[in-house]
Amino acid sequence: MTIAATMAAPQAQSGSIGLIAKRATAVFMLMFLAACQSVIPKGGQGPDGPPPVESPDPGNVVLSDGDRHRVALLLPVTGADGDVGQSIANATTLALLDTRNTNIRMTTYDTALGVDAAVKKAVADGNKLILGPLRSDDVIAVANVAKPAGVPMISFSNDVGAAGPNVFLLGHLPSQSIDRVVKYAKAQGYTRFGGIVPKSVYGQRASSNLTNSVRAAGGALVSVQEIDGSTVSIDAAARKLNAAGIIDAVLIADNGRVAIATVPALRKAGLSSAKILGTDLWNIDASVAANPMMRSAWFASVSDTMFRQYADKYRARFGRAPSRLSSLGYDSVLLVARVAQNWKLGTRFPVARLTDPDGFIGIDGAFRFAANGMSERMLEVQEVQAGKHATIDPAPRGFATTK
């Protein structure tokens, strides 16, 4: 397995990943040990589109462009999504500093000021790789400019409809979260499933994912109901599920706020003992663990173990907690830094190296890319307990491959 990140780990760590970590290159062993100062990238203003903001050179060493690979970071660092985008941008800076990387020039382009202008500027500036964008509806716009120019993308989106050759999705894909929790529930004896999904493209895909996962696990899908998020639609969906037949597990494929509103409706409708299942959307919402009605619910997500270590370091440097999604920014830089070790200056980004079947290791655990741009992750199952999420079935440590 290629190492994109090696976290500080307990001496008790064992197995293949622990062994590989000991053999990792020195640059990645320095992660979480770097103490140099950082500069927080900010978005800019300009009539011709967002001016670029360059990340700092590690150790304040000034290098010429001829010594570094140019990589563009396309994010909304102002506007409505500015907090999340800025947190991801901060994470990329932290990753560059932690790895003491000196051969990557990272430049931030603010998509909140116009995604078309941002990507055109990024390509015109000679960037060989794009990290981002964040929003799924921006991915196609960026790809329409980047692909003809031969510039591959590693997007932070999880919209599977946007993936394709040279357009890789680093975002956590809902289909994998659904499949993981359904298979785990089936292994624990739950056989008859129901589903609550939003009336949206996301909901349609979630419904299809749930159907396929239940079938593959050998269970029975009794009924799937759509909701628009309102109390009326939630109550109606709960009653229809209860009337559809015996259901011993219900997947709520929506965010934490909707799940918190849906569980009481399911209990009131008669599904008093059904196991509640969810997706990784719950992992970014602290209110789920704080709500007593959500206790004992299960959902599948990336592991939080390494994220907690990263969050402490992020907080110490930037003075605030990171967005849960910021780990995507950190891992994207670790991945690129790893590939850049053998990336010849002046050449195109070696995109074929992204599809190493052994995958990579990052803050969010093991992951790998397929040639179609989709990512695959090793997920764990978590249980909602009083004020916390507890791991009840750990993520596999790596991918089984044959060579």
Side-chain angles (χ1 to χ4, degrees):
M1 176 174 294
T2 304
I3 298 296
T6 301
M7 311 291 289
Q11 291 297 317
Q13 184 183 22
S14 61
S16 59
I17 288 181
L19 178 60
I20 294 172
K22 295 177 182 178
R23 299 175 179 172
T25 58
V27 66
F28 294 109
M29 292 301 290
L30 289 170
M31 189 187 352
F32 293 126
L33 299 178
C36 47
Q37 295 296 315
S38 67
V39 176
I40 302 176
K42 297 179 180 179
Q45 302 291 334
D48 298 321
V53 179
E54 187 177 344
S55 296
D57 287 318
N60 296 320
V61 177
V62 178
L63 300 172
S64 68
D65 284 348
D67 296 322
R68 294 182 292 175
H69 300 289
R70 299 192 62 151
V71 176
L73 181 64
L74 268 62
L75 285 172
V77 291
T78 60
D81 296 323
D83 287 346
V84 174
Q86 186 65 71
S87 188
I88 295 175
N90 290 349
T92 64
T93 295
L94 186 60
L96 286 172
L97 294 169
D98 282 352
T99 59
R100 299 189 186 276
N101 183 276
T102 60
N103 68 343
I104 295 175
R105 178 190 179 189
M106 183 80 68
T107 307
T108 303
Y109 300 81
D110 188 359
T111 57
L113 301 177
V115 65
D116 289 334
V119 64
K120 288 176 181 177
K121 177 64 173 170
V123 170
D125 285 348
N127 290 281
K128 302 299 184 182
L129 174 70
I130 291 174
L131 302 181
L134 174 63
R135 295 178 60 88
S136 60
D137 51 0
D138 287 341
V139 175
I140 300 300
V142 172
N144 287 340
V145 176
K147 290 180 71 174
V151 180
M153 301 165 47
I154 300 176
S155 171
F156 304 124
S157 170
N158 64 0
D159 183 0
V160 297
N166 285 352
V167 180
F168 297 88
L169 302 185
L170 191 58
H172 306 160
L173 304 185
S175 59
Q176 296 173 20
S177 178
I178 291 172
D179 191 60
R180 177 76 165 94
V181 75
V182 166
K183 287 181 177 177
Y184 179 78
K186 178 61 169 58
Q188 307 311 306
Y190 295 93
T191 60
R192 296 179 61 81
F193 294 82
I196 297 285
V197 302
K199 291 182 179 179
S200 64
V201 173
Y202 176 93
Q204 292 170 4
R205 290 174 178 164
S207 179
S208 177
N209 296 151
L210 178 58
T211 300
N212 294 335
S213 295
V214 171
R215 181 184 297 117
L221 183 59
V222 179
S223 177
V224 178
Q225 298 296 323
E226 290 186 331
I227 60 173
D228 60 16
S230 68
T231 300
V232 172
S233 70
I234 291 173
D235 288 343
R239 290 193 297 269
K240 289 178 182 178
L241 276 186
N242 186 59
I246 297 174
I247 294 176
D248 53 21
V250 178
L251 177 85
I252 304 174
D254 214 318
N255 60 41
R257 177 187 59 79
V258 172
I260 289 171
T262 302
V263 172
L266 292 172
R267 302 309 189 205
K268 182 179 179 180
L271 293 165
S272 57
S273 61
K275 172 63 70 173
I276 303 300
L277 310 177
T279 74
D280 63 341
L281 290 176
W282 295 6
N283 199 32
I284 60 176
D285 191 338
S287 65
V288 172
N291 191 289
M293 292 295 295
M294 299 300 295
R295 303 272 168 83
S296 80
W298 294 339
F299 66 95
S301 178
V302 296
S303 173
D304 289 329
T305 301
M306 292 182 180
F307 181 84
R308 295 187 189 102
Q309 300 175 42
Y310 152 79
D312 288 341
K313 180 143 195 184
Y314 181 104
R315 191 178 294 106
R317 185 172 295 278
F318 298 109
R320 63 177 61 185
S323 162
R324 185 60 184 84
L325 293 177
S326 69
S327 59
L328 298 176
Y330 197 102
D331 283 355
S332 70
V333 171
L334 297 177
L335 172 61
V336 174
R338 173 60 180 169
V339 173
Q341 288 182 303
N342 300 307
W343 178 11
K344 186 177 179 181
L345 286 168
T347 65
R348 290 189 174 186
F349 180 77
V351 69
R353 295 179 190 168
L354 294 180
T355 55
D356 183 345
D358 285 334
F360 304 88
I361 300 292
I363 287 175
D364 288 336
F367 68 96
R368 64 182 176 184
F369 291 115
N372 64 2
M374 304 282 277
S375 62
E376 180 182 359
R377 291 182 176 275
M378 295 287 94
L379 305 180
E380 68 178 24
V381 178
Q382 300 182 21
E383 182 177 73
V384 180
Q385 299 180 358
K388 66 178 182 179
H389 301 152
T391 301
I392 57 175
D393 193 42
R397 292 191 170 187
F399 299 95
T401 61
T402 57
K403 291 186 177 181

